Amino acid sequence: MLKFYFNGAPNPNKVALFLEESGLPYEPVPVDTRKGDQFKPEFLKVNPNGKVPAIDDDGVFVFDSNAILLYLAEKTGKFLPPSTPKNRAQLLSWLMFVASGIGPYSGQAVHFKHFAPKELDYAHNRYQFEAHRHYGILNDHLAGSRYMVGGTYTIVDMAFWGWARMVPFVLGDDAFAKYPNVKRLLDEVSGRPAVARAIALKDKFTFKTEMDDEARNIMFRHLKTKAA
């Protein structure tokens, strides 16, 4: 059976949504990143980058959330647009846009907004600007498209949903007012029954919630290295 290594963060949530939508049997394997589970040798065999999500599909290891979504979609034939060169190009382009733009800039915007020393104004402003720019591109695209790839619900919408639901935490409580088309698609995807199951998956396990010194040294290892 497919093993799904996860926690409750946005990127694992994308894969959890696919698994719940598709009905594909899987075994959830919790990885508590605030305790350092991601650096255990047994997990590094699955993902040498030491991050969730990752899957072990009967000895086939796949890591990075969007790579996993594409792998599972192609394996099952589910949540892909009609097979045309144009649709394939759009699927790959927007999937990589989420992977290389939305995810990294959202993550860094969160870090410098909520966790980094407050005097780092340049870094905070830089990542807020880029996160806003990327969500603006999504908003403009969705003005003319029901879903990320035309009229078909696909893995790109799942990838979009993983981070779009975090927009207020990334950019502030008023951000959705600036990006109504992002909010419109987010609401539609969030209304799907599988979403509640995907979000609730983490509640079946106990994850560390405190961001104490131990967790900070694990999550932000550059600080520990600098102190040493």
Side-chain angles (χ1 to χ4, degrees), residues 108-109 111-114 117-118 120-130 170:
Q108 293 301 320
H111 178 77
F112 286 102
K113 183 178 178 68
H114 297 286
K118 298 303 181 185
L120 299 178
D121 288 341
Y122 174 84
H124 170 71
N125 293 337
R126 157 76 173 168
Y127 286 109
Q128 285 290 308
F129 175 85
E130 284 296 330
V170 176

Side-chain angles (χ1 to χ4, degrees), residues 4 31 36 44 48 59-60 72 79 89 99 102 104 112 116 178 182 185 192:
F4 170 44
V31 178
L44 291 175
V60 177
L72 292 175
F79 304 111
I102 292 294
F112 286 102
K178 300 176 182 177
V182 171
L185 180 56
R192 298 178 70 89

Side-chain angles (χ1 to χ4, degrees), residues 40-57:
K40 291 181 177 179
E42 56 268 31
F43 181 69
L44 291 175
K45 291 179 181 179
V46 181
N47 183 2
N49 194 30
K51 293 185 177 183
V52 288
I55 62 171
D56 175 356
D57 186 15

Side-chain angles (χ1 to χ4, degrees), residues 2-42:
L2 184 148
K3 293 183 179 179
F4 170 44
Y5 297 85
F6 82 105
N7 63 10
N11 287 325
N13 276 334
K14 305 173 191 176
V15 178
L17 178 55
F18 181 96
L19 292 169
E20 291 298 329
E21 288 274 28
S22 68
L24 192 65
Y26 70 97
E27 174 189 348
V29 182
V31 178
D32 197 328
T33 54
R34 294 191 180 187
K35 291 183 177 180
D37 290 352
Q38 69 273 37
F39 302 122
K40 291 181 177 179
E42 56 268 31

Side-chain angles (χ1 to χ4, degrees), residues 55-68:
I55 62 171
D56 175 356
D57 186 15
D58 293 326
V60 177
F61 301 149
V62 190
F63 57 89
D64 192 281
S65 58
N66 287 19
I68 296 169

Side-chain angles (χ1 to χ4, degrees), residues 11 29 60 63 94 96 104 140-141 146 178-179 205 213:
N11 287 325
V29 182
V60 177
F63 57 89
W94 288 111
M96 296 309 116
D140 291 346
H141 172 66
R146 178 180 177 183
K178 300 176 182 177
Y179 309 118
F205 304 90
D213 288 342

